[in-house]
């Protein structure tokens, strides 16, 4: 993908996904799933953005979901390796990826805002929620 630009009125946003593209290319063939959103504005809620009035708004949904499932994933993978069930690692990763996606949807619907003490909740028309997906690296 490389660099992409988008503009809205007098604001131009340039994103460089070169490093991300490289990481994804290197993940192919491993026990990997990618949980992502399919809308252009998801990253602005995840990482935060400043409104025209100067307010900083943030409502992370993927990072908290991943953090919730990081320890169970590590434990399940260690258990599978200890049992010699290396062939089950893909199933473990698949299940945890689906759980992370489901938790991300719960985070989107959360009542409280999670960003820097702001009081503005993420308002979703359904597009963000419905775009949460689990992909293989080859699909990105």
């Amino acid at each position: 993908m490389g660099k992409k630009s988008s503009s809205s009125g007098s604001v131009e946003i340039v994103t460089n996904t070169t490093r991300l593209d490289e990481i994804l290319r290197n993940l192919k063939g491993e026990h990997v799933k990618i949980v992502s959103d399919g809308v252009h504005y998801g990253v602005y809620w995840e990482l935060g953005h400043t409104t025209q009035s100067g307010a900083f708004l943030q409502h992370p949904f993927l990072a908290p979901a991943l953090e919730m499932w990081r320890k169970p994933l590590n434990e399940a993978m260690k258990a599978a390796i200890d049992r010699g069930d290396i062939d089950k690692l893909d199933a473990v990763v698949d299940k945890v990826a689906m759980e992370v996606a489901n938790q991300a949807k719960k985070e989107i619907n959360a009542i409280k805002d999670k960003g820097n003490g702001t009081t503005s909740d993420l308002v979703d028309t359904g597009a963000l929620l419905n775009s949460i997906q689990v992909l293989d690296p080859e699909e990105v």
Side-chain angles (χ1 to χ4, degrees), residues 61-70 99-101 103-104 107:
F61 52 94
L62 285 172
L66 178 61
E67 282 306 312
M68 178 179 280
W69 284 94
R70 181 186 306 272
E99 294 295 344
V100 169
Q103 184 61 38
E107 296 290 335

Side-chain angles (χ1 to χ4, degrees), residues 83-102:
R83 288 191 310 268
D85 289 337
I86 302 299
D87 57 328
K88 303 233 170 143
L89 289 179
D90 280 332
V92 169
V93 171
D94 288 350
K95 177 172 179 14
V96 171
M98 291 304 295
E99 294 295 344
V100 169
N102 290 333

